[in-house]
Tab-separated table of all heavy atoms in Angstrom:
chain	number	residue	atom	x	y	z
V	1	PHE	N	3.952	-7.382	-8.413
V	1	PHE	CA	3.284	-6.333	-7.638
V	1	PHE	C	4.160	-5.829	-6.495
V	1	PHE	O	4.217	-4.624	-6.236
V	1	PHE	CB	1.954	-6.854	-7.094
V	1	PHE	CG	1.255	-5.863	-6.208
V	1	PHE	CD1	0.579	-4.788	-6.758
V	1	PHE	CD2	1.306	-5.979	-4.821
V	1	PHE	CE1	-0.051	-3.846	-5.949
V	1	PHE	CE2	0.675	-5.050	-4.006
V	1	PHE	CZ	0.001	-3.986	-4.582
V	2	ALA	N	4.835	-6.749	-5.766
V	2	ALA	CA	5.652	-6.344	-4.616
V	2	ALA	C	6.736	-5.364	-5.057
V	2	ALA	O	6.997	-4.361	-4.379
V	2	ALA	CB	6.279	-7.566	-3.958
V	3	PHE	N	7.360	-5.631	-6.200
V	3	PHE	CA	8.413	-4.745	-6.693
V	3	PHE	C	7.829	-3.387	-7.090
V	3	PHE	O	8.374	-2.337	-6.731
V	3	PHE	CB	9.115	-5.386	-7.887
V	3	PHE	CG	10.219	-4.549	-8.464
V	3	PHE	CD1	11.462	-4.503	-7.846
V	3	PHE	CD2	10.014	-3.812	-9.616
V	3	PHE	CE1	12.488	-3.726	-8.369
V	3	PHE	CE2	11.030	-3.027	-10.146
V	3	PHE	CZ	12.267	-2.985	-9.521
V	4	PHE	N	6.715	-3.395	-7.806
V	4	PHE	CA	6.082	-2.142	-8.236
V	4	PHE	C	5.644	-1.315	-7.034
V	4	PHE	O	5.899	-0.100	-6.975
V	4	PHE	CB	4.875	-2.456	-9.122
V	4	PHE	CG	4.059	-1.248	-9.481
V	4	PHE	CD1	4.498	-0.345	-10.434
V	4	PHE	CD2	2.835	-1.003	-8.851
V	4	PHE	CE1	3.755	0.779	-10.759
V	4	PHE	CE2	2.088	0.116	-9.168
V	4	PHE	CZ	2.553	1.006	-10.132
V	5	PHE	N	5.014	-1.959	-6.059
V	5	PHE	CA	4.537	-1.261	-4.865
V	5	PHE	C	5.711	-0.694	-4.072
V	5	PHE	O	5.672	0.449	-3.603
V	5	PHE	CB	3.723	-2.219	-3.996
V	5	PHE	CG	3.158	-1.605	-2.746
V	5	PHE	CD1	2.205	-0.599	-2.806
V	5	PHE	CD2	3.584	-2.034	-1.493
V	5	PHE	CE1	1.680	-0.023	-1.656
V	5	PHE	CE2	3.079	-1.470	-0.341
V	5	PHE	CZ	2.127	-0.468	-0.421
V	6	SER	N	6.789	-1.461	-3.941
V	6	SER	CA	7.961	-1.012	-3.202
V	6	SER	C	8.626	0.172	-3.883
V	6	SER	O	9.098	1.104	-3.222
V	6	SER	CB	8.962	-2.168	-3.063
V	6	SER	OG	8.403	-3.235	-2.319
V	7	LYS	N	8.651	0.164	-5.211
V	7	LYS	CA	9.218	1.293	-5.949
V	7	LYS	C	8.391	2.555	-5.726
V	7	LYS	O	8.935	3.661	-5.619
V	7	LYS	CB	9.276	0.971	-7.447
V	7	LYS	CG	10.280	-0.093	-7.814
V	7	LYS	CD	11.696	0.447	-7.878
V	7	LYS	CE	11.946	1.212	-9.147
V	7	LYS	NZ	13.368	1.625	-9.265
V	8	GLN	N	7.094	2.402	-5.634
V	8	GLN	CA	6.230	3.554	-5.355
V	8	GLN	C	6.451	4.078	-3.945
V	8	GLN	O	6.427	5.286	-3.707
V	8	GLN	CB	4.759	3.194	-5.560
V	8	GLN	CG	4.275	3.293	-6.988
V	8	GLN	CD	4.064	4.747	-7.425
V	8	GLN	OE1	4.119	5.679	-6.634
V	8	GLN	NE2	3.816	4.933	-8.712
V	9	LEU	N	6.678	3.178	-2.995
V	9	LEU	CA	6.958	3.615	-1.629
V	9	LEU	C	8.285	4.365	-1.570
V	9	LEU	O	8.420	5.343	-0.833
V	9	LEU	CB	6.998	2.411	-0.680
V	9	LEU	CG	5.659	1.749	-0.364
V	9	LEU	CD1	5.881	0.490	0.456
V	9	LEU	CD2	4.723	2.701	0.375
V	10	ARG	N	9.244	3.929	-2.362
V	10	ARG	CA	10.547	4.593	-2.389
V	10	ARG	C	10.452	5.973	-3.022
V	10	ARG	O	11.034	6.932	-2.531
V	10	ARG	CB	11.551	3.741	-3.167
V	10	ARG	CG	12.933	4.365	-3.260
V	10	ARG	CD	13.862	3.525	-4.118
V	10	ARG	NE	15.199	4.096	-4.134
V	10	ARG	CZ	15.594	5.061	-4.961
V	10	ARG	NH1	14.732	5.559	-5.849
V	10	ARG	NH2	16.826	5.531	-4.910
V	11	HIS	N	9.699	6.064	-4.115
V	11	HIS	CA	9.614	7.331	-4.855
V	11	HIS	C	8.202	7.464	-5.432
V	11	HIS	O	7.966	7.130	-6.588
V	11	HIS	CB	10.650	7.354	-5.977
V	11	HIS	CG	10.807	8.698	-6.611
V	11	HIS	ND1	11.918	9.045	-7.333
V	11	HIS	CD2	10.005	9.802	-6.640
V	11	HIS	CE1	11.797	10.282	-7.778
V	11	HIS	NE2	10.631	10.752	-7.368
V	12	PRO	N	7.241	7.942	-4.620
V	12	PRO	CA	5.851	8.051	-5.078
V	12	PRO	C	5.718	8.955	-6.298
V	12	PRO	O	6.277	10.054	-6.342
V	12	PRO	CB	5.124	8.643	-3.865
V	12	PRO	CG	5.974	8.281	-2.695
V	12	PRO	CD	7.382	8.355	-3.213
V	13	ARG	N	4.952	8.484	-7.291
V	13	ARG	CA	4.762	9.243	-8.520
V	13	ARG	C	3.299	9.195	-8.942
V	13	ARG	O	2.610	8.194	-8.739
V	13	ARG	CB	5.616	8.672	-9.658
V	13	ARG	CG	7.120	8.816	-9.483
V	13	ARG	CD	7.846	8.193	-10.667
V	13	ARG	NE	9.281	8.467	-10.677
V	13	ARG	CZ	10.197	7.710	-10.100
V	13	ARG	NH1	9.816	6.624	-9.451
V	13	ARG	NH2	11.483	8.021	-10.171
V	14	GLY	N	2.851	10.281	-9.568
V	14	GLY	CA	1.531	10.316	-10.194
V	14	GLY	C	0.388	10.174	-9.214
V	14	GLY	O	0.526	10.387	-8.007
V	15	TRP	N	-0.774	9.798	-9.759
V	15	TRP	CA	-1.982	9.711	-8.937
V	15	TRP	C	-1.863	8.640	-7.870
V	15	TRP	O	-2.342	8.812	-6.745
V	15	TRP	CB	-3.210	9.457	-9.821
V	15	TRP	CG	-3.175	8.143	-10.556
V	15	TRP	CD1	-2.700	7.904	-11.811
V	15	TRP	CD2	-3.642	6.869	-10.067
V	15	TRP	NE1	-2.829	6.575	-12.139
V	15	TRP	CE2	-3.415	5.918	-11.094
V	15	TRP	CE3	-4.224	6.446	-8.881
V	15	TRP	CZ2	-3.744	4.569	-10.966
V	15	TRP	CZ3	-4.560	5.111	-8.734
V	15	TRP	CH2	-4.324	4.197	-9.778
V	16	LEU	N	-1.159	7.533	-8.186
V	16	LEU	CA	-0.992	6.481	-7.187
V	16	LEU	C	-0.100	6.966	-6.047
V	16	LEU	O	-0.366	6.684	-4.877
V	16	LEU	CB	-0.391	5.234	-7.828
V	16	LEU	CG	-0.170	4.030	-6.896
V	16	LEU	CD1	-1.463	3.634	-6.200
V	16	LEU	CD2	0.409	2.852	-7.680
V	17	GLY	N	0.918	7.731	-6.388
V	17	GLY	CA	1.784	8.291	-5.359
V	17	GLY	C	1.035	9.222	-4.432
V	17	GLY	O	1.268	9.233	-3.214
V	18	ALA	N	0.114	10.017	-4.990
V	18	ALA	CA	-0.684	10.930	-4.172
V	18	ALA	C	-1.591	10.158	-3.220
V	18	ALA	O	-1.777	10.551	-2.058
V	18	ALA	CB	-1.507	11.848	-5.068
V	19	ILE	N	-2.151	9.064	-3.704
V	19	ILE	CA	-2.989	8.225	-2.838
V	19	ILE	C	-2.143	7.584	-1.736
V	19	ILE	O	-2.546	7.517	-0.568
V	19	ILE	CB	-3.705	7.134	-3.672
V	19	ILE	CG1	-4.743	7.782	-4.590
V	19	ILE	CG2	-4.366	6.093	-2.762
V	19	ILE	CD1	-5.380	6.824	-5.572
V	20	LEU	N	-0.944	7.124	-2.113
V	20	LEU	CA	-0.059	6.502	-1.136
V	20	LEU	C	0.317	7.450	-0.008
V	20	LEU	O	0.569	7.019	1.121
V	20	LEU	CB	1.211	5.995	-1.819
V	20	LEU	CG	1.167	4.594	-2.421
V	20	LEU	CD1	2.479	4.285	-3.116
V	20	LEU	CD2	0.852	3.553	-1.362
V	21	ALA	N	0.347	8.745	-0.296
V	21	ALA	CA	0.679	9.726	0.733
V	21	ALA	C	-0.306	9.637	1.895
V	21	ALA	O	0.093	9.681	3.064
V	21	ALA	CB	0.674	11.129	0.138
V	22	SER	N	-1.584	9.509	1.584
V	22	SER	CA	-2.596	9.388	2.634
V	22	SER	C	-2.456	8.066	3.385
V	22	SER	O	-2.620	8.012	4.614
V	22	SER	CB	-3.999	9.507	2.022
V	22	SER	OG	-4.170	10.772	1.418
V	23	VAL	N	-2.141	7.001	2.650
V	23	VAL	CA	-1.939	5.695	3.280
V	23	VAL	C	-0.736	5.746	4.217
V	23	VAL	O	-0.784	5.245	5.348
V	23	VAL	CB	-1.737	4.601	2.203
V	23	VAL	CG1	-1.405	3.260	2.856
V	23	VAL	CG2	-2.979	4.477	1.333
V	24	MET	N	0.346	6.381	3.764
V	24	MET	CA	1.553	6.492	4.588
V	24	MET	C	1.280	7.277	5.866
V	24	MET	O	1.776	6.918	6.942
V	24	MET	CB	2.673	7.146	3.793
V	24	MET	CG	3.294	6.243	2.740
V	24	MET	SD	4.797	6.945	1.986
V	24	MET	CE	4.108	8.285	1.039
V	25	ASN	N	0.489	8.325	5.754
V	25	ASN	CA	0.162	9.106	6.950
V	25	ASN	C	-0.537	8.245	7.993
V	25	ASN	O	-0.261	8.351	9.195
V	25	ASN	CB	-0.715	10.301	6.576
V	25	ASN	CG	0.063	11.421	5.916
V	25	ASN	OD1	1.288	11.459	5.991
V	25	ASN	ND2	-0.643	12.335	5.282
V	26	ARG	N	-1.453	7.404	7.537
V	26	ARG	CA	-2.182	6.536	8.466
V	26	ARG	C	-1.272	5.436	9.032
V	26	ARG	O	-1.234	5.202	10.248
V	26	ARG	CB	-3.375	5.902	7.753
V	26	ARG	CG	-4.239	5.035	8.672
V	26	ARG	CD	-5.448	4.490	7.950
V	26	ARG	NE	-5.083	3.526	6.915
V	26	ARG	CZ	-5.197	3.745	5.616
V	26	ARG	NH1	-5.645	4.909	5.171
V	26	ARG	NH2	-4.851	2.825	4.744
């Protein structure tokens, strides 16, 4: 999970990436 989550933080993709955008803003 840590690797998958970190990869998404590096390069957000798809629906999870869109959700992460809101999390990153906060």
Side-chain angles (χ1 to χ4, degrees):
F1 176 77
F3 180 79
F4 173 76
F5 181 65
S6 297
K7 291 281 282 186
Q8 276 284 351
L9 288 174
R10 179 184 183 275
H11 191 160
R13 293 179 171 90
W15 63 267
L16 181 56
I19 292 173
L20 273 177
S22 298
V23 175
M24 286 189 290
N25 284 344
R26 183 177 67 250

